Amino acid sequence: MRVYDTTFIINPQTDDSLIDQSVRSVADLITGNGGRIINEDRMGTRRLAYQIEDLTQGYYTTFIFEGPSSILPILDRHFKLGESFMRHLTIVYDGDLSAFTPKETEVIAPIERKSTPAPGAAAMTPTEPTPPASDTMAEAAPPIADTEVEAEVASPVADPVESTPAEEQAPEKPPPSAPAEEAPPAQKEPPGYDEEDEL
Amino acid sequence: MQVMRRRKFCYFCENKIHFVDYKDERLLRRFVNERGKIIPRRVTGNCARHQRKTTRGIKRARIMAIMAFESESFR
């Protein structure tokens, strides 16, 4: 499948909704006939180099798409029959497509974590295995305690596995209350501002 | 009488531009004179390959009313 570039001019005196509808119709035509739109560029209203049908401005739109060659006569017919299309041009696109493809996230070295034990694990080991206070309590409590223990044991183990991938860059977040309290006072007055200066 | 030779390098080869986009009016205007006529490559210094691409781009831009076929000459 080849990559094509189609540009068309729409009468700017029509309503914005009609302009959008015309652009959408072209996009739907491309995707509906086996094409894949790589880039859509709405250049907006531009002054024409010469008058076309007594108009001095036109709404330019460009689609760069990939598709079979059978799309081209369908597209051409759509432009010719449409009343709002003033001019159109479809060419084979030879340019660089890397500007339109989404860039992969950069791989950055993982943050070295300190070897401090997880808070959950530290609190877990001495206290969580609840010693049975009485026989009746021991009979009722252990099943719940065991599941809680298992869940809490699982979570600190899971956290390092989830956070070690190199792509995740966010450091451990401080408690949510701390930044909210610290930020506003710093932004109240710019440095060097004195009320006395105004007076 | 010795005639100073103008620089003879291709703008596209120097800047490694492989694709000449007909929508790029700023770039194409460099290769068109005041009346809108395409400047020959013996003046611009383009290589044959890029002169053909430039010409094709200018003609497409003219069809799409991005550039004029003929502009008014300054008198």
Side-chain angles (χ1 to χ4, degrees), chain A residues 5-10 22-23 25-27 29-30 61-63 65 71-90:
Chain A
D5 176 344
T6 184
T7 304
F8 50 94
I9 310 174
I10 299 174
S22 300
V23 173
S25 68
V26 175
L29 195 77
I30 292 169
T61 309
T62 300
F63 281 107
F65 63 96
I71 289 181
L72 301 180
I74 300 168
L75 206 59
D76 196 38
R77 185 176 169 81
H78 180 76
F79 286 132
K80 281 184 179 176
L81 294 177
E83 292 180 354
S84 57
F85 299 110
M86 295 159 52
R87 288 285 167 93
H88 64 95
L89 180 67
T90 305

Side-chain angles (χ1 to χ4, degrees), chain B:
Chain B
M1 187 177 74
Q2 258 189 343
V3 178
M4 288 289 290
R5 261 200 146 174
R6 286 193 182 180
R7 53 185 183 161
K8 282 282 185 179
F9 66 92
C10 173
Y11 173 84
F12 298 97
C13 293
E14 287 288 313
N15 295 291
K16 296 181 182 177
I17 300 170
H18 303 295
F19 176 67
V20 181
D21 192 6
Y22 68 93
K23 298 185 282 297
D24 193 353
E25 184 202 354
R26 248 192 208 178
L27 176 66
L28 294 175
R29 207 186 294 168
R30 298 162 62 110
F31 305 99
V32 151
N33 70 358
E34 295 168 349
R35 290 192 63 186
K37 299 170 75 170
I38 300 171
I39 301 173
R41 75 178 188 98
R42 66 174 186 271
V43 174
T44 61
N46 281 345
C47 64
R49 186 181 179 195
H50 286 117
Q51 179 70 11
R52 287 194 297 271
K53 289 191 175 186
T54 306
T55 302
R56 212 176 300 144
I58 291 169
K59 290 179 178 177
R60 284 173 181 163
R62 285 172 175 171
I63 290 168
M64 291 303 292
I66 294 170
M67 294 179 72
F69 283 95
E70 189 180 27
S71 53
E72 294 178 1
S73 59
F74 295 97
R75 294 185 180 178

Side-chain angles (χ1 to χ4, degrees), chain A residues 157-171:
Chain A
V157 175
D159 286 340
V161 173
E162 290 174 0
S163 57
T164 46
E167 292 180 1
E168 294 185 6
Q169 258 305 291

Side-chain angles (χ1 to χ4, degrees), chain A residues 139-158:
Chain A
E139 290 175 356
I144 299 169
D146 289 340
T147 55
E148 287 177 354
V149 165
E150 289 174 4
E152 290 180 6
V153 169
S155 58
V157 175

